[in-house]
Amino acid sequence: MDSIIQGISTFRGSVFPGQQRMYQRLVRDGQHPKALIIACADSRVAPEHITQTGPGELFVCRNAGNIVPPYATQNGGVTSTVEYAVAALGVRDIIVCGHSDCGAMKALAYPEGLERMPNVAAWLRHGSAAEHIVSTCHPHLESSARIRAVSLQNVIAQLAHLRTHPSVAAAIARGDMALHGWFVDIHAGQVLGLDGETGQFIPLREDQPLPVA
């Protein structure tokens, strides 16, 4: 914790003075984020760092496995975040972002040991379609290849869940919303995007159109 406290001190003493006007503007004008990104809680994958965005630019929701439960009347943090981002903030893009070497996806692919974590096991049931697809369609995959395949399929599964949310479905129907599926390869420092037309994940490049899921 000492390094975290030191970071706060550095922010207050060295960073904030140079950005005070920006923070005052954000308070005065409110937030107008460019997109909602639903990412994994993994400490190695920070959306703002990967996208090189600053305060006020991204609305971020993070949880184990970048899960989006299907819409239901029962309240939940992800559901509420999605609804607020669309209905109150008017975001026009939502990104579901998975990543390599994901602990949640390892547990989904190889669930041994989850009996000690019943809440995690229950949460990961929202990704069961991804595991089933890989087990059924690619039964030969093992170890890291299986985990990567489950991780990619999980992004696709969570995008399908996202479309069940009324606020998202209505925005898509109006032509006001685009969904994106991303996968961060930590080892390569590369971000892949789901091409909805081909079903393939392709590298995101500045000179190419942003793929839409």
Side-chain angles (χ1 to χ4, degrees):
M1 288 296 293
D2 288 347
S3 62
I4 294 176
I5 299 302
Q6 179 61 49
I8 293 173
S9 178
T10 300
F11 171 77
R12 186 70 186 93
S14 303
V15 177
F16 181 76
Q19 299 182 344
Q20 188 169 3
R21 287 188 178 181
M22 176 194 68
Y23 281 104
Q24 289 174 340
R25 174 178 55 79
L26 289 172
V27 172
R28 182 187 69 242
D29 299 337
Q31 60 171 323
H32 302 282
K34 300 173 182 176
L36 163 63
I37 183 165
I38 302 169
C40 185
D42 192 299
S43 60
R44 300 165 296 177
V45 186
E48 295 90 346
H49 184 66
I50 291 168
T51 59
Q52 290 294 285
T53 50
E57 294 187 77
L58 282 181
F59 201 60
V60 179
C61 178
R62 299 179 69 177
N63 63 69
N66 41 278
I67 297 291
V68 182
Y71 184 80
T73 54
Q74 182 178 0
N75 189 34
V78 179
T79 300
S80 299
T81 300
V82 169
E83 185 175 80
Y84 185 82
V86 178
L89 299 180
V91 299
R92 298 178 63 90
D93 294 274
I94 301 180
I95 304 154
V96 174
C97 184
H99 66 95
S100 61
D101 198 43
C102 179
M105 294 301 101
K106 290 178 182 178
L108 190 58
Y110 296 103
E112 300 83 3
L114 279 179
E115 65 275 359
R116 297 182 294 105
M117 296 180 283
N119 286 289
V120 174
W123 179 248
L124 290 180
R125 291 191 191 105
H126 294 301
S128 59
E131 189 280 328
H132 183 71
I133 289 171
V134 173
S135 293
T136 302
C137 301
H138 308 286
H140 61 284
L141 293 179
E142 297 181 356
S143 191
S144 60
R146 173 174 166 79
I147 294 166
R148 183 182 178 91
V150 170
S151 300
L152 292 171
Q153 287 296 331
N154 182 61
V155 171
I156 298 172
Q158 303 316 315
L159 286 167
H161 292 170
L162 193 54
R163 291 184 176 95
T164 69
H165 290 240
S167 58
V168 174
I172 292 174
R174 293 193 304 267
D176 294 337
M177 172 75 64
L179 303 184
H180 310 272
W182 289 4
F183 180 83
V184 179
D185 189 325
I186 300 175
H187 309 81
Q190 186 178 55
V191 181
L192 307 178
L194 175 63
D195 184 330
E197 294 186 2
T198 65
Q200 300 297 312
F201 282 83
I202 59 177
L204 297 187
R205 295 177 50 179
E206 191 174 6
D207 60 347
Q208 297 291 331
L210 182 66
V212 175

